[in-house]
Amino acid sequence: MGNISLQEQGYRFVRSCFRAFGGNTDLLALFLLALLFLAVKGKQKEKYIFVYSTVFLGVTVYNPLIVKPVIGKLGMTTVYYRFFWILPMVLLMAYCCVKLLDEIPKGKKRSGVMIALVLIIWISGDSVISDGIPKVPENQYKVADDLLNVCTAIHEDTEKEYPKAVFENEFNLFARQYDGSILLTLDRDIVLLSQGSTTVSTRGLSEEEIEDQNTIIGVIYQTDLSIDASRFMQALYDTETDYVVISAESPVREYVENAGCSFCRQTQEHIIYRVGQKGISS
């Protein structure tokens, strides 16, 4: 998992993973305080749901004595960090805040404690609007409107039940969430690795598949126009790609056209190109 090796870290593997991937450590401290609060003040049912379950996780999936011999044999070293997601951190902190306020009589004291809790959580956490308030699409699928248009255009053009397409990064993440019948040329992990991720691997892919996808990523994502156009087209043929979808303002637009892809459709924000079959004009 990135530069964290189970073999090298040994019994320190769990601690190293949490430091790297466990998120905000200030919130972890609040989570432990909430856990202690329920252990002392909680009812038996609350302890079963939160305290005992967390203790169980602590002596099993977070226990270095178990993780070291077991995780490696299961082949889960590259995804072990996902075990941290099952900690009910947010749920427990919210529940304890409500429980604490409920035990304080209405009045200035309760209001003061409520304001203090809000400030503590606000200071300890990371702002979700630091990059601006996200715009929620109005369509019922809650994906970019132009993605719907692109997928519709591909299905109108193709005779295949499952066409395969190259998308730019944003659409590559969401295309199959909206339309599972459109196959992705670019593997999610290959894309993440090209962007510097250290939490994924290329297991299950051959060297040829990785090379072909990296060639396509080099052109579409990294705008490396020095890549030979025939090599780019060969990568599209090898991956059995049917369509290449790029933004209308993409700097690789001319490259893609000159390489041999033919114009198919244009939506409001994107251009769809056909790849065609090798040796046959599309």
Side-chain angles (χ1 to χ4, degrees):
M1 185 160 51
N3 58 355
I4 302 176
S5 167
L6 176 62
Q7 185 175 0
E8 294 177 2
Q9 294 286 330
Y11 295 113
R12 295 173 297 166
F13 179 74
V14 177
R15 183 178 64 180
S16 299
C17 287
F18 188 83
R19 285 181 174 177
F21 309 109
N24 194 311
T25 54
D26 292 336
L27 291 181
L28 174 63
L30 294 179
F31 169 72
L32 294 176
L33 286 174
L35 202 64
L36 180 61
F37 172 74
L38 271 194
V40 176
K41 293 278 191 178
K43 298 177 182 178
Q44 193 64 28
K45 186 176 182 179
E46 295 170 330
K47 292 179 181 180
Y48 275 124
I49 295 174
F50 294 109
V51 180
Y52 300 154
S53 63
T54 303
V55 171
F56 174 78
L57 292 173
V59 299
T60 54
V61 294
Y62 304 140
N63 185 350
L65 298 176
I66 294 178
V67 170
K68 185 177 184 295
V70 174
I71 293 298
K73 291 182 180 179
L74 293 177
M76 299 178 64
T77 55
T78 60
V79 294
Y80 174 76
Y81 67 95
R82 296 178 182 175
F83 279 115
F84 299 130
W85 299 350
I86 60 179
L87 273 176
M89 293 179 64
V90 175
L91 179 61
L92 177 59
M93 287 187 289
Y95 183 83
C96 286
C97 286
V98 174
K99 182 177 178 63
L100 177 61
L101 291 173
D102 193 50
E103 293 184 358
I104 301 173
K106 291 183 179 180
K108 293 182 179 180
K109 186 177 180 180
R110 177 190 279 192
S111 299
V113 172
M114 181 177 65
I115 294 173
L117 290 173
V118 170
L119 289 175
I120 290 172
I121 295 174
W122 179 52
I123 294 172
S124 302
D126 299 319
S127 175
V128 296
I129 58 173
S130 56
D131 297 325
I133 300 175
K135 182 181 178 182
V136 179
E138 296 182 359
N139 63 74
Q140 62 178 325
Y141 304 102
K142 302 307 176 187
V143 296
D145 292 330
D146 212 48
L147 175 58
L148 276 65
N149 298 330
V150 166
C151 292
T152 299
I154 288 176
H155 283 298
E156 289 177 349
D157 181 74
T158 187
E159 295 180 356
K160 292 185 177 182
E161 184 178 1
Y162 297 102
K164 199 171 190 179
V166 171
F167 292 100
E168 293 173 318
N169 189 47
E170 183 179 357
F171 277 15
N172 201 61
L173 292 173
F174 297 111
R176 280 183 60 81
Q177 292 184 25
Y178 164 66
D179 189 341
S181 64
I182 294 182
L183 305 180
L184 302 180
T185 296
L186 300 178
D187 182 88
R188 169 184 173 273
D189 287 351
I190 297 292
V191 173
L192 290 175
L193 283 171
S194 73
Q195 296 170 344
S197 173
T198 60
T199 64
V200 295
S201 71
T202 58
R203 66 186 187 284
L205 295 175
S206 67
E207 292 184 4
E208 291 77 11
E209 290 173 319
I210 295 172
E211 182 181 355
D212 285 334
Q213 292 190 38
N214 279 331
T215 297
I216 297 170
I217 289 171
V219 174
I220 304 300
Y221 286 53
Q222 300 167 352
T223 63
D224 184 359
L225 304 185
S226 66
I227 295 175
D228 186 78
S230 62
R231 176 69 193 95
F232 171 70
M233 289 301 297
Q234 186 61 51
L236 293 176
Y237 295 139
D238 290 345
T239 55
E240 300 181 346
T241 300
D242 300 302
Y243 297 92
V244 174
V245 182
I246 59 176
S247 62
E249 299 178 355
S250 172
V252 304
R253 179 175 174 178
E254 184 176 353
Y255 175 99
V256 171
E257 293 174 354
N258 293 337
C261 295
S262 62
F263 176 83
C264 174
R265 300 277 185 91
Q266 181 164 357
T267 63
Q268 185 175 356
E269 301 175 4
H270 291 80
I271 300 176
I272 306 170
Y273 291 97
R274 294 189 200 92
V275 176
Q277 298 179 15
K278 186 176 183 180
I280 300 178
S281 175
S282 57

